[in-house]
Amino acid sequence: MPQISATPLQTALELVGRRLAQHVAEGARPVCYLPGNAGRIDAVERWIFEQPQRLCGVDVFQVLALGPAAGWRRAVMAGVGIVTPFIGPGVRELVNAGLARNIRCNLSQVPKLFDGRWRPQIAFAHTSLPDHAGRVTRRDVTARAVVT
């Protein structure tokens, strides 16, 4: 079993930022999956909104964007791509203006999007810290990140 360690959130976000920047420097347009709807991670959204220039050239894929519209607008203006199959209030104005991408599909089709262009290089999720066997759950969420 691979070694799994828990990392403070800010440290993990710095690592994620470097990995995404490396993909962009290599000429790729990486995809970062960010949970939406009930799974929103405010700390990660704030990280994106506070320094969107660091994520220029990255597409953020969110199933339903509910975060603050002003934050998403700031991110888009700095070159962050927003992609969503379901338009939420966080990006409705951006989609209507042609500044964010809406991929229309049924909920059952969303996993198929990850088989092609929208397969994420980085994915965020709410989890507990790993137990002794390396397993995590979606309850007992902490402000730490699991980095493998």
Side-chain angles (χ1 to χ4, degrees):
M1 175 189 286
Q3 178 70 27
I4 298 175
S5 64
T7 304
L9 183 60
Q10 279 311 117
T11 304
L13 291 174
E14 286 302 316
L15 175 62
V16 165
R18 285 194 302 271
R19 286 185 182 175
L20 290 169
Q22 181 179 355
H23 283 290
V24 171
E26 293 169 356
R29 185 152 184 110
V31 175
C32 177
Y33 173 79
L34 183 62
N37 205 2
R40 279 185 58 227
I41 306 174
D42 289 334
V44 175
E45 286 185 358
R46 277 193 310 276
W47 174 72
I48 294 169
F49 301 158
E50 290 170 1
Q51 52 188 0
Q53 68 284 353
R54 289 194 60 202
L55 298 174
C56 181
V58 173
D59 286 322
V60 175
F61 187 104
Q62 195 171 35
V63 175
L64 178 61
L66 297 175
W72 287 118
R73 174 171 285 287
R74 218 172 15 262
V76 166
M77 293 299 120
V80 177
I82 308 298
V83 182
T84 182
F86 304 107
I87 303 171
V91 298
R92 182 175 316 282
E93 188 178 302
L94 296 170
V95 169
N96 290 343
L99 299 172
R101 181 175 292 173
N102 172 235
I103 300 173
R104 301 179 69 108
C105 68
N106 295 322
L107 184 58
S108 63
Q109 297 170 310
V110 170
K112 294 177 183 169
L113 295 174
F114 299 137
D115 289 338
R117 163 67 183 101
W118 304 113
R119 181 182 186 88
Q121 282 68 44
I122 300 287
F124 289 98
H126 279 291
T127 67
S128 66
L129 290 172
D131 66 12
H132 68 281
R135 297 175 300 223
V136 295
T137 64
R138 288 194 42 122
R139 58 184 154 84
D140 302 326
V141 177
T142 64
R144 298 180 81 71
V146 177
V147 179
T148 58

